[in-house]
Amino acid sequence: MDEGGSRIRRRVSLPKRNRPSLGCIFVGPTAAELEPGDEGKEEEEMVAENRRRKTAGVLRVEHNDSEEDMFGDYDSFTENSFIAQVDDLEQKYMQLPEHKKHATDFATENLYSESIKNKLSITTIGNLTELQTDKHTENQSGYEGVTVEPGADLLYDVPSSQAIYFENLQNSSNDLGNCSMKERDWKSSSHNTVNEELPHNCIEQRQQNDEDSSKVRISSDMNRRKSIKDHLKSAMTGNAKAQTPIFSRSKQLKDTLLSEEINVAKKTIESSSNDLGPFYSLPSKVRDLYAQFKGIEKLYEWQHTCLTLNSVQERKNLIYSLPTSGGKTLVAEILMLRELLCCRKDVLMILPYVAIVQEKISGLSSFGVELGFFVEEYAGSKGRFPPTKRREKKSLYIATIEKGHSLVNSLIESGRIDSLGLVVVDELHMIGEGSRGATLEMTLAKILYTSKTTQIIGMSATLNNVEDLQKFLQAEYYTSQFRPVELKEYLKINDTIYEIDSKAENGMTFSRLLNFKYSDTLKKMDPDHLVALVTEVIPNYSCLVFCPSKKNCENVAEMICKFLSKEYLKHKEKEKCEVIKNLKNIGNGNLCPVLKRTIPFGVAYHHSGLTSDERKLLEEAYSTGVLCLFTCTSTLAAGINLPARRVILRAPYVAKEFLKRNQYKQMIGRAGRAGIDTIGESILILQEKDKQQVLELITRPLENCYSHLVQEFTKGIQTLFLSLIGLKIATNLDDIYHFMNGTFFGVQQKILLKEKSLWEITVESLRYLTEKGLLQKDTICKSEEEVQHNFHVTKLGRASFKGTIDLAYCDILYRDLKKGLEGLVLESLLHLIYLTTPYDLISQCNPDWMIYFRQFSQLSPAEQNVAAILGVSESFLGKKASGQAIRKKVDKDVVNRLYLSFVLYTLLKETNIWTVSEKFNMPRGYIQNLLTGAASFSSCVLHFCEELEEFWVYRALLVELTKKLTYCVKAELIPLMEVTGVLEGRAKQLYSAGYKSLMHLANANPEVLIRTIDHLSRRQAKQIVASAKMLLHEKAEALQEEVEELLRLPSDFPGAVASSTDKA
């Protein structure tokens, strides 16, 4: 028996001499404690234990830079009885007699061990993906002679609960009795860091005899639990990595510095502070990442001031306003990172356009991969409602205005609104712009009303009546006139240029005369002297020419190129040829004839008539200096950041409307590129007749921002009331009126309401919703004298607000879907596409009747049957095409909607925008906007149907259709296009190069991608890989959480309390 005990002890202690991650020896039971019948069993368990420890030693050698990011103040492990199980085991061990141990105790201990092992195994699987993707591009050599096999074996190759537990006890025994808790924490953390970072052969392992086990001291329960939790965290953090690259010495030093900062952060977190490090309460790693990814090494003075404001430190709501290009976004990003990493809360960023959402996701995914948080896209048809609930890593939701509203609704409904720590709104002035402004106002009002812990930060370059917004958001205000590059504003009348000068009597002073030799032909073609103005800066510097209309953009681009000298063709000639070649590739051999003529001169037009692929490619070429001149519409000013040395406004008009001060400031704000130009210039070209209006334009203040909540009736106040009642935020008249007083409209009601009071408008809106069948009124008698009217949503009402359907169309949609059930044609997608074609685009449609009739004639009998069901006959279209009079009345909206459905149906069949554009004689940009709108509306109709049992048949059908409309490519390209920033043209290139799945992209080396894929910049390659890694991590995390949820014992399981008592 003694020999057996000795033999067991030798088996345990020998491997530990080579195990760097443990600082102590496992204390085995004495021979006297083993029952005779258990000897063989114990030997087998100890051998298995050693095998698990060897593998664990490999898994834990790399130090995780983001340890605090993973755990922080919030210990997610305590929620699933993990720590409780260890505590039970600990108590049992401490209560055992010195020379006696029952066989049942071993069984109990093994049971706990198995449970904990399963938990740790799941964690390892979840993080294995991160390890494979993060390390793919680095040297993949690990430790020689050690192989870690993925798959099922990995489930068993993790440290058991006994190893962690006894390691903790031994560490406690080696601490001096008079050491402070602070010193012990520092030494333990420092020791672990060294062990994890240095190679195996550089670590001297301490040896200890079995007799030392009698000297183990028992610390207080609190200290011991804290230490065990620390070890568990350390074990899980270390086990999240499966391979260890060989670091350089400088890398080791940097990581050591970071680990020291995180050790400081541990102590600071325990003292309830949000300070994690030297970079505005963030670790210096964040500062290094900004230098690495964005080239930002130092903040502007105003940014430092803003970040150190008392209101920011105290997490008060904040509005800040600076000129365009002043660096507003960087401040918001630092505050978002602080919320994610320090406060351990989710963050929502609301941006105005899909393109900006995708650009921001591409830029921040790299930070998410490095710092351990998720970046999730909520735009178009993308986004999960409610969002995935994560226990460890936090999420940064980047959303459009509409999707941001739906996200907030889902968080309120699921009782998780308090998990949202920060909401950042870019372009806050859009709160005063139509239905989108009303939606933004509803979102912010709900957050203010339902969560007292969520901070709101708004930023804009064009704000005037800030006091109203401050009152609405209960916010502090910060402003500065800082611009990194000086901006000089000019006016051009005839051939004279004046500088805008506020001190001058008439607001401008003479600057110079244009000195350019014009031929008679040129004078006729270019009366505004655009050629003279642009040739002063191009091709060495960049220039933007804003034009009133899309057609004018193309005409101006062609006109300028006609009069440019041949020398311009030689500037970056090879790169421009590559751009043309790439445009042909993404257009399946098609190329816009205007671009074909202008790009060789470094000139291109930019407006919504371009496809997303074309726009992205041209923007990249402009950013890298291959293209030096864009003729563009005003939408570019509000879109992605494309600055220029000189900005020229072709006329003081946007379409046929005179320019507003806000629009003017946004356009000229693009002048001057930080770090490239020393000065920026804007030139507004005007005619003598517009001189007085322009002088008023440049001197008057910015336009005020007014609420559109009531003005946008169906998309505003009615939608708000329906969701307030549906989400149970406010369900009676008094509560709803109280909520309305807290909105932006409530703040401005004295200005906006002339004829009716807010109370009257509230009553009328509720009556309208009740009459429309979206609400029902319940009467509750509180007393004999007092009667209260409560409201609740009907099934149709709930479906409408859950699907975010415009209430002007909800009853029409219900009727169309109901009628569709009577004879839904599923032989093709045409009928389903018709049901998901957006109603709000119908009014813009003017069918070409000849094309309409021709396309109808080419339909199969089943497809023509769809038209017949809808009431559109071939004879009707034939008469319209031939210009004959129509006696029979046909619904114009149905006819127009079916025409748009034909366009979408043809596009899904051919997946080539160019051929569809030619068939229907429509701009390719319009067709793509139609496709995007249909994908988004299809997603809304899907959510609408999910709330109505009678439409169960549509649910599965619409899931697949939404995916088809979202990507509109061959099925094999869809996994690649799920990655933000990868459009159809790029997806085809990647697929041809062998990158056929998300895993391929996530494991790609950016340098190899650059060499393999044509026209791919290093920045783009890094962003694509980072976005793929982020998406892969999200999917792995979701599966991991699903597994844990399935294996977790339900809290309401019958007899759960009794069984846990029996185990104890």
Side-chain angles (χ1 to χ4, degrees), residues 421-606:
L422 174 65
V423 175
V424 173
V425 182
D426 195 10
E427 310 296 353
L428 183 61
H429 61 270
M430 289 193 73
I431 200 170
E433 296 183 12
S435 61
R436 303 195 79 210
T439 304
L440 179 58
E441 180 181 345
M442 288 189 277
T443 306
L444 296 175
K446 287 174 184 173
I447 293 168
L448 288 166
Y449 193 85
T450 58
S451 175
K452 302 305 178 188
T453 59
T454 304
Q455 184 184 14
I456 297 174
I457 292 176
M459 51 182 171
S460 173
T462 54
L463 284 178
N464 189 33
N465 55 332
V466 182
E467 295 82 7
D468 289 347
L469 283 167
Q470 275 187 266
K471 191 173 179 183
F472 165 48
L473 295 176
Q474 303 150 35
E476 304 285 325
Y477 179 57
Y478 176 83
T479 186
S480 169
Q481 293 306 310
F482 171 82
R483 270 187 63 92
V485 177
E486 183 188 359
L487 172 63
K488 291 191 175 181
E489 300 175 47
Y490 298 95
L491 301 177
K492 178 192 162 296
I493 305 173
N494 300 322
D495 58 355
T496 308
I497 295 179
Y498 301 90
E499 184 174 354
I500 294 175
D501 185 358
S502 57
K503 297 176 184 176
E505 187 176 343
N506 61 350
M508 61 182 188
T509 56
F510 173 80
S511 177
R512 63 189 173 96
L513 286 171
L514 269 180
N515 185 20
F516 191 85
K517 293 180 180 179
Y518 267 74
S519 64
D520 292 338
T521 309
L522 184 52
K523 281 181 182 176
K524 289 179 184 177
M525 296 287 291
D526 183 23
D528 293 329
H529 307 97
L530 275 172
V531 174
L533 293 173
V534 300
T535 50
E536 289 178 348
V537 289
I538 66 169
N540 296 322
Y541 297 100
S542 56
C543 182
L544 294 175
V545 179
F546 284 101
C547 303
S549 67
K550 287 185 280 191
K551 189 62 182 171
N552 193 234
C553 288
E554 297 176 31
N555 292 340
V556 168
E558 284 203 278
M559 182 274 294
I560 289 173
C561 290
K562 282 180 182 177
F563 296 101
L564 290 178
S565 70
K566 303 294 183 185
E567 293 296 316
Y568 286 90
L569 295 170
K570 298 176 183 177
H571 182 76
K572 298 195 174 182
E573 185 176 5
K574 185 181 177 183
E575 290 90 337
K576 288 184 286 197
C577 288
E578 290 292 315
V579 171
I580 290 175
K581 182 182 172 185
N582 208 17
L583 279 170
K584 281 185 178 178
N585 287 339
I586 62 176
N588 293 315
N590 298 289
L591 177 63
C592 170
V594 177
L595 292 175
K596 186 178 180 180
R597 290 190 290 270
T598 62
I599 287 176
F601 289 92
V603 179
Y605 65 85
H606 185 289

Side-chain angles (χ1 to χ4, degrees), residues 366 393 490 615 715 875 932:
S366 303
K393 293 184 179 181
Y490 298 95
R615 219 165 29 239
K715 288 186 177 180
S875 61
T932 304

Side-chain angles (χ1 to χ4, degrees), residues 215-232:
K215 300 178 182 178
V216 173
R217 296 181 182 178
I218 302 171
S219 304
S220 68
D221 285 349
M222 288 296 292
N223 290 346
R224 186 168 59 252
R225 279 196 191 95
K226 182 175 177 182
S227 179
I228 291 172
K229 285 164 70 175
D230 287 346
H231 278 291
L232 288 172

Side-chain angles (χ1 to χ4, degrees), residues 240-252:
K241 304 288 182 179
Q243 295 168 346
T244 306
I246 298 175
F247 290 123
S248 65
R249 179 63 181 162
S250 60
K251 170 68 175 170
Q252 288 184 0

